[in-house]
Amino acid sequence: MSSKTNYLEINRTSWNARTTHHITSEFYDVKGFLEGNTSLKSIELELLGDVKGKTILHLQCHFGQDTISLARLGAQCTGVDLSDKAIEAAEQLADKANIEASFICSDVYDLPNNLESKFDIVYTSYGVIGWLPDLDAWAKVISKFLKPSGKLIFVEFHPVVWMFDDDFKHISYSYFNKGEIVETETGTYAQKDADITNDYVCWNHSMSEVVNSLIKNGLQISTLNEYDYSPYNCFNNTVEFVSGKFRIQSLEEKIPMVFAIKATKI
């Protein structure tokens, strides 16, 4: 399971299967999205600011809702994802929404072989870096595609969350990157009773690993925020304590669930 080809193919297959169920799920609410709802949350909107006229590269875009939402705000957007099924769905969604956006099917690390443009903003969010084994290589890609003084806007589930078992009863995984984690999942976070079972490969990344990879690759961090809730109801045993904000019921506000970084290429 250690070869790059193996993990990429396993995860592509997994995300292709998920996409089929995600586009019809209540979680992603494609109907409401096509009626004008945004998929962007307050955390990333506050960091992004006014994006009108900006060029944005959206890494690991899934089937493109955030990419299209950013384009609706006036940005020129390019979305990238490993899953060919997700990219196909993204292109169809943009067409239905009558929004102009570009999409590329590519592994993050291979993107320099598939794209030459530079961007004002690189954006990536929620459940992304866990699919990547090497954050130094990830940060290199971000730096490569940013214009001088370009911004990275990065929002992610907190590494503390990934230490727990699925029901948040036990500490089951290391906070630190100890190598690949191979799992089998039945259902999907967006439709837990979906009739699919998939293998996948992921990695845990500590906060220091994230921050140092960005610093090492010429990004100056101006904002690092942590949040005691998730704006997505994608975990087990949650409670919605305020509309659109979810915590693990047994843990209340005691753990960080999301963090966000704004950084500038120097």
Side-chain angles (χ1 to χ4, degrees):
M1 190 69 72
S2 61
S3 76
K4 180 177 180 179
T5 301
N6 238 348
Y7 91 79
L8 287 174
E9 290 308 314
I10 289 166
N11 288 343
R12 179 182 287 110
T13 298
S14 175
W15 279 104
N16 280 349
R18 287 187 180 100
T19 298
T20 300
H21 293 272
H22 288 186
I23 58 178
T24 60
S25 68
E26 290 184 12
F27 184 95
Y28 282 103
D29 185 22
V30 168
K31 180 178 182 293
F33 182 78
L34 289 172
E35 290 171 352
N37 293 343
T38 183
S39 62
L40 297 166
K41 307 300 183 183
S42 61
I43 295 173
E44 52 265 32
L45 284 169
E46 289 172 10
L47 290 178
L48 283 160
D50 184 3
V51 299
K52 188 174 182 180
K54 302 290 188 182
T55 55
I56 300 180
L57 175 63
H58 181 192
L59 299 179
Q60 295 169 273
C61 69
H62 196 23
F63 66 94
Q65 284 186 309
D66 278 11
T67 318
I68 295 166
S69 291
L70 290 164
R72 282 171 167 167
L73 294 175
Q76 300 172 43
C77 298
T78 300
V80 178
D81 200 87
L82 172 69
S83 165
D84 52 296
K85 295 296 184 184
I87 290 299
E88 181 182 346
E91 291 171 339
Q92 292 171 355
L93 187 62
D95 185 58
K96 289 178 182 177
N98 196 28
I99 291 293
E100 186 175 342
S102 300
F103 294 97
I104 299 170
C105 184
S106 176
D107 167 39
V108 169
Y109 299 139
D110 196 42
L111 189 57
N113 293 320
N114 296 300
L115 181 66
E116 295 182 356
S117 304
K118 302 283 187 179
F119 296 83
D120 298 311
I121 297 170
V122 171
Y123 169 75
T124 187
S125 68
Y126 301 106
V128 287
I129 59 172
W131 304 102
L132 304 174
D134 184 345
L135 289 196
D136 180 56
W138 168 76
K140 275 187 172 68
V141 169
I142 291 168
S143 183
K144 175 179 175 56
F145 285 106
L146 280 174
K147 296 176 182 177
S149 300
K151 308 293 184 185
L152 166 69
I153 305 297
F154 173 45
V155 187
E156 180 60 285
F157 295 115
H158 202 283
V160 166
V161 168
W162 304 122
M163 296 172 66
F164 288 87
D165 70 300
D166 287 348
D167 292 324
F168 288 85
K169 293 180 178 178
H170 307 286
I171 300 293
S172 298
Y173 303 92
S174 173
Y175 175 81
F176 300 99
N177 186 354
K178 299 294 185 180
E180 61 191 16
I181 300 167
V182 183
E183 302 275 20
T184 300
E185 176 188 53
T186 297
T188 169
Y189 63 86
Q191 190 177 342
K192 294 181 180 178
D193 61 351
D195 186 22
I196 54 171
T197 298
N198 285 297
D199 295 333
Y200 64 89
V201 187
C202 60
W203 291 261
N204 283 352
H205 300 289
S206 67
M207 191 71 77
S208 61
E209 187 183 359
V210 173
V211 168
N212 287 330
S213 71
L214 296 173
I215 293 171
K216 180 180 176 182
N217 286 283
L219 289 157
Q220 184 176 65
I221 296 169
S222 58
T223 302
L224 171 55
N225 295 329
E226 296 174 287
Y227 304 84
D228 62 4
Y229 70 91
S230 166
Y232 288 99
N233 189 21
C234 55
F235 300 106
N236 292 341
N237 300 326
T238 58
V239 59
E240 187 175 19
F241 68 98
V242 173
S243 179
K245 295 182 178 182
F246 303 88
R247 289 174 177 152
I248 307 305
Q249 189 165 14
S250 61
L251 298 174
E252 302 171 325
E253 79 289 358
K254 296 172 184 172
I255 66 166
M257 294 192 69
V258 166
F259 72 97
I261 288 175
K262 184 174 183 177
T264 303
K265 181 176 179 178
I266 55 176

